[in-house]
Amino acid sequence: MKVYLVAGEMSGDRLGGALMAGLRQLVPDVAFAGVGGPLMAAQGLESLFPMDELSVFGIAEVLPKYRHLVRRMHQTADAVVDWRPDVLITIDSPDFCLRVARAVKAKSGVHCVHYVAPSVWAWRPKRAVKMAKSVDHVLALLPFEPPYMEAVGLRSDFVGHPVVSEPVASAEDTARFRRDLGLGEAPVMLVLPGSRRGEVGRLAPAFGEVVAKVKQQQPDVEVLVPAAEAVVDLVKEAVASWSHPVAVLDPTVGSADRALAQKRAAFASANVALAASGTVSLELAANNTPMVIAYDMNWITWQIMSRMALIDTVTLVNLVSETRVVEEFLGPAFQPERIAPAVLRALKAPKAQQEAMTLTMQRLGRGAEAPGLRAARAVLDGLPK
């Protein structure tokens, strides 16, 4: 069996890696090709080009790279058609991936699966109708999504989110991590300014101001900055100008297993987190870590997206738990003087968030079959007979 996969973000790489492991378990002689990151590479994928070339968010932010992205899209679609896989699986990054699927369908009859239903419940609901012309099957991470896809004639399966089956650090691992970093019993604040270079450039200066304001109110807080591999150099450069020293967790030091274990221990050790919007909110929820979400973007991007939004929150914990307990500061609200008090509130009164996080993990499939394996079964079941 031949499977072509395309992912454009670190979160998509995580999904792709778990799906590939599931497919290999069910079909041991499966062959993979496509575009992906380190977790997909660990499952045997040799990426057509570096995945981080696709990690661009925002309408205005995409424009300078548009021609290059179009070239990569055509390159990817041509590679799919030439390889003749049994199935093309595009993972998240809909603006790129669905264009690839459309180009492939125009040239071949390859069965197309899209993993992660586009958030048509949040904005641009007509995307589902458009997608149905080039995609045969959608794998959904959230339990309320399949009806939106089925309404336009697409098969859709809820497969859960891999975060619910990823291991978390044990109490022993956490104690060792605290001891190794000299944290003692101090409260720990994680600062997560994103995995894209553009995000770090926009968010890190203000996040540094938030750290300073939090430290003024609670001087004993220890601050850790777990950096994504693709942006670790930029993160180190950014925090060097902050008024308070912080510890950057560098995933490029030592083995990949060591880096992953350190990240898990950091998440499990944390008492609160300040994070960019995205999948990281679910990683924090899996560790029962209270959080504040803050995100800024180009003014034009904000004006367009805020007017098109159909929901009042972007945080998955809020959406899945049907609460609004995680505070958000987006666009014009992205102000350090507003964000810092919210971080202190989450640190001092975590119960409501933690209850919502427990519910979120249950609804996303914690305790059931691993989502990567569920996704693999759904892909195989959906193939043309």
Side-chain angles (χ1 to χ4, degrees), residues 68-320:
H68 179 70
L69 291 171
V70 169
R71 285 194 297 271
R72 287 303 198 195
M73 184 270 291
H74 287 299
Q75 178 188 6
T76 305
D78 289 342
V80 175
V81 174
D82 290 344
W83 201 54
R84 298 183 180 180
D86 296 286
V87 58
L88 164 65
I89 304 175
T90 54
I91 307 171
D92 208 1
S93 302
D95 290 324
F96 181 85
C97 284
L98 295 180
R99 283 177 169 83
V100 170
R102 188 159 59 246
V104 168
K105 279 292 190 183
K107 299 178 180 180
S108 73
V110 172
H111 184 74
C112 294
V113 177
H114 189 65
Y115 193 179
V116 183
S119 50
V120 296
W121 38 267
W123 70 308
R124 292 169 57 194
K126 292 183 180 179
R127 283 179 293 168
V129 177
K130 190 174 182 180
M131 184 173 64
K133 298 175 182 178
S134 53
V135 171
D136 303 293
H137 186 186
V138 177
L139 306 180
L141 302 186
L142 307 178
F144 55 79
E145 291 179 317
Y148 289 92
M149 303 295 105
E150 293 163 351
V152 298
L154 277 167
R155 171 173 173 162
S156 183
D157 293 299
F158 167 60
V159 297
H161 197 292
V163 72
V164 303
S165 60
E166 292 174 355
V168 297
S170 66
E172 183 179 292
D173 293 335
T174 302
R176 185 185 308 111
F177 175 80
R178 278 184 165 269
R179 185 170 60 251
D180 290 347
L181 268 68
L183 301 174
E185 298 300 317
V188 171
M189 174 182 172
L190 296 186
V191 178
L192 300 145
S195 59
R196 306 179 184 97
R197 299 187 72 83
E199 286 177 335
V200 174
R202 285 194 307 274
L203 305 185
F207 278 17
E209 293 181 46
V210 173
V211 168
K213 293 179 183 299
V214 169
K215 293 280 283 184
Q216 286 174 359
Q217 296 296 315
Q218 187 138 354
D220 62 335
V221 168
E222 297 283 354
V223 180
L224 306 179
V225 186
E229 184 173 346
V231 295
V232 65
D233 57 333
L234 197 59
V235 169
K236 288 181 176 180
E237 181 182 336
V239 304
S241 64
W242 291 4
S243 60
H244 291 75
V246 300
V248 176
L249 304 185
D250 186 342
T252 66
V253 175
S255 68
D257 288 343
R258 176 190 175 278
L260 186 56
Q262 187 180 54
K263 177 183 175 181
R264 287 172 178 156
F267 275 57
S269 300
N271 302 93
V272 71
L274 169 62
S277 175
T279 308
V280 70
S281 66
L282 292 182
E283 295 181 73
L284 293 166
N287 285 276
N288 221 27
T289 303
M291 71 191 85
V292 172
I293 300 299
Y295 201 85
D296 197 15
M297 61 194 74
N298 179 280
W299 183 85
I300 296 173
T301 301
W302 169 258
Q303 293 300 316
I304 295 171
M305 295 186 70
S306 62
R307 284 167 170 75
M308 296 175 70
L310 304 176
I311 54 173
D312 63 348
T313 179
V314 300
T315 302
L316 289 171
V317 171
N318 287 342
L319 288 165
V320 177

